Amino acid sequence: DAKTTQPNSMESNEEEPVHLPCNHSTISGTDYIHWYRQLPSQGPEYVIHGLTSNVNNRMASLAIAEDRKSSTLILHRATLRDAAVYYCILRRGIQGAQKLVFGQGTRLTINP
Amino acid sequence: NAGVTQTPKFQVLKTGQSMTLQCAQDMNHNSMYWYRQDPGMGLRLIYYSASEGTTDKGEVPNGYNVSRLNKREFSLRLESAAPSQTSVYFCASSDPTLPGGRLNEQFFGPGTRLTVL
């Protein structure tokens, strides 16, 4: 299975944009890029996913490199509630059960 | 909708004791999953059930058994608990037939914190 590499931790200030990078140099053509986040003492929650094109939703944006070997999760205006561990996960295809493989993720700290 | 519920929230066992972790979802999802999360680590898949009546091993199935009781419920059993099974256990569900983008979402419960002494 293709692996992802993320920085262990990042820090940002409230109301500023945050760019969380993810490298996935061995990604295959059918791998979707998923992002989940885990708030303290909670289960993970879905943030966004994409295949080739950039994606936007109410929570965040996902920018995918043209060669798909890296991607960036963008939080446009961070709030204190965005402090969490963010996981970048590759998932082969979109059919059937999702066997997600979580790495250690990036711990995001937001300063007031 | 309550989403995914797990019981109990906390449990302390002695080595060798058995217990069953319960999970239920009210979203009519086909697929359900059990993960464990050790301190400072990401989640690892223990077992999953793609649909009612089927179960399959994940990344770390040793020492566990599962039962997909019906479409709503998916239980995880530890037959003889060991200290290495001290962890936080998360149940999740998903459904690839959901409309729009939600077919890619996996919904997680609040977790069960298990300590084995």
Side-chain angles (χ1 to χ4, degrees):
Chain A
D1 286 336
K3 291 191 184 294
T4 63
T5 305
Q6 300 177 252
N8 287 336
S9 62
M10 290 184 64
E11 202 169 322
S12 186
N13 297 320
E14 199 175 8
E15 298 187 5
E16 289 184 357
V18 180
H19 290 235
L20 295 162
C22 180
N23 287 321
H24 27 79
S25 58
T26 60
I27 191 169
S28 77
T30 56
D31 284 338
Y32 283 73
I33 302 159
H34 289 245
W35 283 82
Y36 280 75
R37 72 179 186 181
Q38 187 173 21
L39 302 174
S41 300
Q42 294 188 27
E45 63 177 349
Y46 168 87
V47 177
I48 201 166
H49 79 278
L51 182 62
T52 56
S53 304
N54 295 344
V55 185
N56 300 300
N57 67 20
R58 63 174 180 81
M59 288 181 71
S61 295
L62 177 60
I64 301 172
E66 199 168 329
D67 63 5
R68 301 210 324 128
K69 292 184 186 301
S70 66
S71 60
T72 303
L73 180 71
I74 303 165
L75 307 179
H76 293 286
R77 203 160 162 266
T79 68
L80 295 177
R81 196 194 172 275
D82 292 320
V85 178
Y86 286 79
Y87 296 99
C88 171
I89 300 167
L90 299 184
R91 185 193 166 208
R92 188 143 296 170
I94 59 171
Q95 299 302 318
Q98 303 177 7
K99 290 171 281 183
L100 301 180
V101 179
F102 287 78
Q104 290 190 277
T106 297
R107 182 173 298 277
L108 177 64
T109 301
I110 304 296
N111 300 315
Chain B
N1 285 355
V4 179
T5 57
Q6 294 183 236
T7 55
K9 286 188 169 48
F10 301 93
Q11 184 71 49
V12 179
L13 293 178
K14 294 181 180 176
T15 297
Q17 287 185 317
S18 62
M19 80 159 296
T20 300
L21 280 64
Q22 306 288 352
C23 173
Q25 51 92 7
D26 62 1
M27 297 174 283
N28 203 34
H29 285 174
N30 282 326
S31 302
M32 297 185 73
Y33 314 80
W34 275 106
Y35 293 87
R36 61 176 287 175
Q37 184 174 33
D38 299 332
M41 306 293 288
L43 282 71
R44 291 183 292 171
L45 183 64
I46 305 171
Y47 270 93
Y48 67 99
S49 170
S51 60
E52 189 178 355
T54 69
T55 60
D56 282 290
K57 296 178 181 179
E59 188 184 350
V60 288
N62 291 345
Y64 305 95
N65 285 302
V66 290
S67 295
R68 183 75 184 265
L69 304 169
N70 47 55
K71 192 171 186 180
R72 287 188 65 246
E73 298 171 289
F74 189 37
S75 63
L76 178 72
R77 182 159 178 84
L78 287 70
E79 290 290 352
S80 179
S84 61
Q85 294 177 304
T86 293
S87 192
V88 181
Y89 290 84
F90 290 100
C91 178
S93 69
S94 70
D95 196 318
T97 64
L98 288 176
R102 306 216 83 186
L103 64 89
N104 274 283
E105 285 191 56
Q106 199 163 121
F107 297 82
F108 286 81
T112 294
R113 188 174 296 274
L114 175 68
T115 302
V116 183
L117 302 174

